[in-house]
Amino acid sequence: ARDYVGGRSVTKDIGVTSNETGIPVDLGSSWIQGVRKNPIMKIATDLNVTTYDESLRGYAVYDYEGHRLKTDEIQVIWGYFYGFMDYMTKKQNTNPVDVSLQSTLDEYILNKTIPDGVEGKLGLDMALESGIELEYAAPLSAMSLWWWDNDRWFAGGDAFLGVPGGGFTRIVERYAEPLMPFIELRSKVTQINTTGEITQVTYTDERTNETNVIMAKKVLVTVPLGVLQSGAIQFIPQLPQEKLNSIRKLGNGMMEKCFLYWEEDIDIFWPTESEWIIKVAKTEAEQGNWTMFHNAYEVNGGKAILAGYVVGDAAKRVGNMTDDQV
């Protein structure tokens, strides 16, 4: 239960001073992926929320000693990546049983005889992190060969919201404004009873600790998967066994972000024209431990902000750390 609308899509402003309003950074959702016919993009446009098309910006890749990779070196790495994608697609159509993407990758590396090193297995690990694991916030070992890419995308580039006048919170707040008198914040739903003609939704107001009941003709449940799996909401009658089985079996991605902010441009040590700053780690185990950083310098008004990303198993480890440890 939160004291604002938007859930995990929340925007904070960095660098606020008496003279400046600061630059928005999104702690959750940061992009509208696919701008053509995307209803979220239409809402942002209608509400005059600023976005920036980042589809044309590049990236810089460094090895574990800090040397920036040349174009031909990067092309070798992406050659292995696209080779794996072709191999994986064939396996999707021919494998009699489902296996993990990691198992498919191990088989591909064995058959392809990919060398060790930055232009080999280590570089491929980097490409897989940035090309697949970052998108789904999960390790390859948790992804199904048959189903991992069974989703649909809107066409067009990606609209970034971490720019002056942007931010997902601005979309949510402006869209929800007419409904705010009816939205109960800081309220935790504990029971949904559909046995009668009118559904009863029981919730606890965390500010007063009072229990209240809302009568409704329809209920749309949009809580995270983890809440459903925890049993925090009691359903009367119990959900059908088929749905309970699906809830139990489903997994979800995990991602953590860390924003780094420098007040002075003189402190900038990265290529400001590159959207992503990516590191090829020294070992497979180290890849994913703060090896991907998003740079919005050219689109956020020239502010020195880097957003570090960790996903999957690395995100779980970071989630258990203190701020000082991170």
Side-chain angles (χ1 to χ4, degrees):
R2 305 176 190 268
D3 59 0
Y4 61 88
V5 292
R8 296 176 183 177
S9 293
V10 57
T11 306
K12 299 293 184 180
D13 290 324
I14 287 182
V16 178
T17 67
S18 58
N19 300 320
E20 297 186 21
T21 58
I23 295 299
V25 295
D26 282 300
L27 307 188
S29 312
S30 300
W31 286 268
I32 301 174
Q33 293 191 304
V35 297
R36 296 179 189 170
K37 298 183 179 180
N38 189 322
I40 303 299
M41 188 66 204
K42 184 179 185 306
I43 292 171
T45 301
D46 291 345
L47 296 176
N48 295 317
V49 176
T50 307
T51 64
Y52 185 88
D53 182 358
E54 283 204 315
S55 60
L56 300 178
R57 298 180 65 215
Y59 56 90
V61 181
Y62 294 82
D63 65 17
Y64 52 82
E65 293 182 337
H67 302 129
R68 184 169 180 175
L69 270 61
K70 299 177 181 178
T71 300
D72 59 340
E73 294 172 320
I74 296 174
Q75 287 176 342
V76 171
I77 293 172
W78 285 108
Y80 288 128
F81 174 83
Y82 289 116
F84 168 69
M85 296 298 284
D86 290 340
Y87 183 86
M88 178 272 302
T89 300
K90 292 176 183 177
K91 284 294 182 178
Q92 284 182 322
N93 297 325
T94 59
N95 251 40
V97 295
D98 192 15
V99 296
S100 71
L101 272 190
Q102 184 63 54
S103 296
T104 309
L105 172 64
D106 293 341
E107 190 177 292
Y108 168 72
I109 291 176
L110 183 64
N111 293 337
K112 187 70 176 177
T113 317
I114 298 176
D116 296 325
V118 172
E119 292 184 59
K121 295 177 183 177
L122 294 180
L124 178 57
D125 286 337
M126 174 278 297
L128 291 166
E129 180 199 5
S130 59
I132 297 179
E133 292 182 332
L134 181 66
E135 292 290 336
Y136 293 90
L140 299 184
S141 59
M143 296 190 201
S144 156
L145 168 65
W146 284 354
W147 304 108
W148 78 273
D149 58 348
N150 187 39
D151 50 9
R152 296 181 180 180
W153 297 78
F154 290 102
D158 295 340
F160 180 62
L161 284 106
V163 298
F168 255 97
T169 290
R170 288 166 175 81
I171 295 178
V172 176
E173 287 181 345
R174 293 178 189 176
Y175 194 69
E177 187 174 356
L179 300 174
M180 288 307 296
F182 310 102
I183 296 177
E184 297 284 352
L185 300 174
R186 296 288 304 277
S187 299
K188 183 180 294 184
V189 173
T190 57
Q191 185 184 91
I192 299 176
N193 188 331
T194 60
T195 54
E197 293 185 4
I198 300 295
T199 296
Q200 297 182 13
V201 179
T202 303
Y203 69 93
T204 300
D205 188 327
E206 293 189 338
R207 293 162 297 190
T208 62
N209 207 32
E210 293 181 354
T211 298
N212 300 294
V213 177
I214 291 178
M215 313 300 285
K217 294 181 179 179
K218 299 286 184 181
V219 176
L220 180 63
V221 180
T222 61
V223 297
L225 176 63
V227 174
L228 293 176
Q229 291 176 332
S230 71
I233 300 177
Q234 179 187 17
F235 290 88
I236 304 176
Q238 180 177 280
L239 294 175
Q241 192 61 45
E242 182 181 34
K243 289 188 176 180
L244 292 175
N245 290 339
S246 297
I247 291 171
R248 176 177 56 83
K249 292 179 180 179
L250 279 172
N252 56 274
M254 180 171 289
M255 175 184 289
E256 294 282 355
K257 295 182 187 179
C258 180
F259 288 92
L260 307 175
Y261 170 63
W262 289 263
E263 293 183 348
E264 302 293 339
D265 283 0
I266 195 173
D267 295 321
I268 294 176
F269 56 88
W270 61 89
T272 56
E273 75 280 0
S274 299
E275 177 187 358
W276 288 96
I277 315 297
I278 308 172
K279 175 187 175 183
V280 179
K282 190 173 184 178
T283 66
E284 180 182 348
E286 292 176 293
Q287 191 66 46
N289 289 315
W290 303 115
T291 49
M292 294 198 64
F293 290 83
H294 181 260
N295 162 51
Y297 183 85
E298 287 199 337
V299 301
N300 69 7
K303 299 298 182 181
I305 299 173
L306 289 178
Y309 285 76
V310 290
V311 299
D313 294 337
K316 292 179 182 179
R317 291 192 295 270
V318 170
N320 291 323
M321 294 179 179
T322 66
D323 287 350
D324 289 341
Q325 287 174 325
V326 172

